[in-house]
Every structure is written in C-alpha cells, then in structure tokens.
Amino acid sequence: MSANKNINTVQDYDDVLAAMEGYVHGLKTGNVAELKKSFHKDAIMYGHLGSDLSQGSIDNLYTYVEKFGAAPNIKTNLTVLHKTPTTAVVRIEMEHDAADEDFTDFHSLIKIDGAWKVVAKLFHLYDK
C-alpha cells in the first residue's frame, strides 16, 4: 500500500458522526433506548459533576437522562478529532442539556462488526 494513500473517506467520518447523532437525538428526546444504541454494553463514563466524580458504567448516563428527561433546547457541535479504520475520538460541545447544563464530551469509539460504538465517555461540566 502506498504511504500516501488516504485511508479515511468522507463516508467514514459521516458514519462516525451518525453514531454520535443518535446519542444527541437520544438526549434531545430523553429516549434511553435510543441512547443505548450508541454505546457498547460495557462502556464506561467519567467526569466531574461539581465536586463529585461520576465514574464507572455508562448506566450512570442512562440514570441521568431518566432523572432529567428530554433536552428539547440542546445545542451541539460534533467534531471527529481523529480516526483510524477501526477507532475514533469525537468531541461534542453541548449547551442546555435536560438539566440546562453545558458540557464538553470526548467519546472514544470502536468499529465492531461494521458498527461504531462508544466504549468510553469523558465529560467536563461547566459552571453556570
């Protein structure tokens, strides 16, 4: 293979972003079942909620969405920071989630059986 061959097509980036758009739509609608489609069943999530460290299973995200519900006013900007044929890192700038909070998320994805799944979510919550 040529050292100068582009291994990342525009479609590859679109596929990664489509996986993350499902996450955003799940947040917007408060639909935990839709959210789960974006994540590997064993995904993890870490970040600070004020002085508390949220850590461990992605189930913490589902609990948060069940508690606060839909986020009809959410605004997001998604950026693929880097990708390979089987891995990707996506940054999501988020304003006005269901609790009217603003976050920056970093999602690590892996391609399994042709589908992109988030295996780790790191987040930062901003003060109001």
Side-chain angles (χ1 to χ4, degrees):
M1 175 166 26
S2 168
N4 194 36
K5 182 168 173 43
N6 183 1
I7 61 169
N8 294 307
T9 67
V10 170
Q11 186 63 53
D12 291 334
Y13 285 92
D14 289 347
D15 292 346
V16 169
L17 290 174
M20 298 316 310
E21 286 289 349
Y23 162 72
V24 170
H25 191 260
L27 293 176
K28 186 173 201 129
T29 60
N31 186 332
V32 172
E34 185 170 356
L35 276 176
K36 287 183 176 184
K37 293 177 186 176
S38 296
F39 292 89
H40 185 276
K41 65 181 180 58
D42 296 322
I44 58 171
M45 179 175 87
Y46 284 81
H48 290 277
L49 293 170
S51 61
D52 296 327
L53 178 63
S54 175
Q55 57 186 329
S57 170
I58 198 63
D59 290 339
N60 291 324
L61 172 66
Y62 309 145
T63 299
Y64 181 90
V65 171
E66 287 168 352
K67 177 180 178 181
F68 290 102
N73 299 318
I74 198 169
K75 300 224 180 300
T76 59
N77 178 277
L78 285 68
T79 305
V80 177
L81 297 177
H82 193 73
K83 72 167 291 306
T84 69
T86 61
T87 62
V89 177
V90 176
R91 179 185 64 225
I92 302 177
E93 298 294 345
M94 186 181 320
E95 297 173 352
H96 307 295
D97 79 345
D100 197 33
E101 295 178 315
D102 300 341
F103 289 89
T104 297
D105 286 356
F106 294 96
H107 294 253
S108 296
L109 294 89
I110 189 162
K111 193 173 193 179
I112 303 172
D113 297 328
W116 289 100
K117 296 290 182 181
V118 177
V119 292
K121 169 186 165 147
L122 290 173
F123 69 88
H124 177 83
L125 168 66
Y126 295 97
D127 294 337
K128 285 285 182 187

